[in-house]
Amino acid sequence: MKPSIVFVETNWVVDVTAPAHLQSPQAIQLLERADAGEFQLFVPAISLIEARETVPRRFAPRSRSTDLRKFVRWAREANYISADDAEATFRVFDQFDGLVTNEITKVSERISQLSSHSGLKIFPLSEAMLARQITIGAMDLTLKPYDLAILAAVLVKSEELQQAGHPWTGFCELDSDLQPWDKTGSRKSTLSDLYNQSRVWVYGDFLLEDIDPIPPAW
């Protein structure tokens, strides 16, 4: 059984608004499925703010091509590659830098356009979510401020949706800090308990292919 409500957060926003050649096909497919009416996507508004900061920083072109440029210069001087090959490679790097620079200028527009999708609901932080953030912050989770806010938002919104008639919600979470399991697949007890108490089923991908059964108690 698939959820009728699926939460996403900053990593999904980044993956659908990044430079075109770096966008995630799975993240885009999730949005397309939501627009087709298979389920409704919910994303905290704070995730759009974080993504607006993250995409330019993560995908800045020079930071991604500088090491390769250094290698090509070294290889040319060491006669591992010809001068012509080096120049051709530098032209490709220049094209790459120009393309990504142009793509990054489109990030704000792409983020703004997300609100036009019928399958996506962007919701703000509420007082209840801020209060839950304080409560969770007192637990031994060592989460960053954005992560704390997103976790609180997902938990509280899930509970509100259940009161409106949804038995449980899904959460596509690729950030290891907010996944209720560690690198070995072992359960993180505190996070797992928080998700279970709010009936949030966490998927480790954007395809909703988690094979574990939904808890019978739900």
Side-chain angles (χ1 to χ4, degrees):
M1 181 176 62
K2 299 296 184 184
S4 59
I5 300 293
V6 177
F7 287 97
V8 288
E9 56 112 338
T10 308
N11 48 49
W12 177 84
V13 180
V14 169
D15 280 348
V16 296
T17 60
H21 67 290
L22 296 171
Q23 291 174 7
S24 163
Q26 292 81 12
I28 294 172
Q29 180 182 337
L30 187 71
L31 180 59
E32 291 172 345
R33 291 169 64 186
D35 283 343
E38 186 174 338
F39 43 73
Q40 183 82 28
L41 282 181
F42 276 69
V43 61
I46 192 173
S47 289
L48 276 63
I49 297 171
E50 186 180 16
R52 203 180 297 270
E53 300 172 358
T54 300
V55 173
R57 183 179 68 251
R58 181 179 300 176
F59 301 117
R62 276 289 174 174
S63 67
R64 298 173 71 85
S65 66
T66 296
D67 288 344
L68 290 173
R69 290 175 185 274
K70 290 178 180 178
F71 168 77
V72 172
R73 292 191 187 96
W74 171 84
R76 178 186 59 190
E77 293 169 2
N79 294 320
Y80 283 107
I81 63 174
S82 67
D84 289 343
D85 286 344
E87 289 307 312
T89 303
F90 286 135
R91 285 196 297 273
V92 172
F93 289 159
D94 289 340
Q95 291 174 347
F96 169 80
D97 289 345
L99 171 67
V100 177
T101 298
N102 181 59
E103 284 285 305
I104 285 177
T105 65
K106 302 176 182 178
V107 171
S108 291
E109 179 182 356
R110 286 174 177 158
I111 290 177
S112 298
Q113 288 175 345
L114 288 176
S115 62
S116 67
H117 286 269
S118 60
L120 181 67
K121 171 71 173 178
I122 300 167
F123 64 94
L125 296 183
S126 64
E127 289 187 14
M129 294 171 189
L130 295 174
R132 185 71 60 87
Q133 181 179 351
I134 294 173
T135 300
I136 296 172
M139 300 177 180
D140 187 23
L141 290 174
T142 63
L143 294 175
K144 297 182 286 293
Y146 269 123
D147 289 339
L148 275 174
I150 289 167
L151 177 59
V154 169
L155 297 179
V156 172
K157 192 65 176 179
S158 177
E159 293 163 5
E160 292 173 353
L161 289 166
Q162 288 165 46
Q163 292 174 2
H166 298 276
W168 60 281
T169 63
F171 183 22
C172 291
E173 182 51 88
L174 277 64
D175 182 353
S176 60
D177 289 335
L178 287 178
Q179 289 176 336
W181 56 80
D182 61 22
K183 294 180 179 178
T184 66
S186 299
R187 177 179 178 270
K188 296 179 184 176
S189 59
T190 303
L191 262 180
S192 292
D193 289 343
L194 285 171
Y195 286 127
N196 286 334
Q197 289 162 9
S198 297
R199 293 194 177 187
V200 178
W201 193 247
V202 183
Y203 295 85
D205 56 40
F206 292 134
L207 299 180
L208 302 176
E209 292 182 341
D210 199 303
I211 61 174
D212 290 337
I214 300 302
W218 290 11

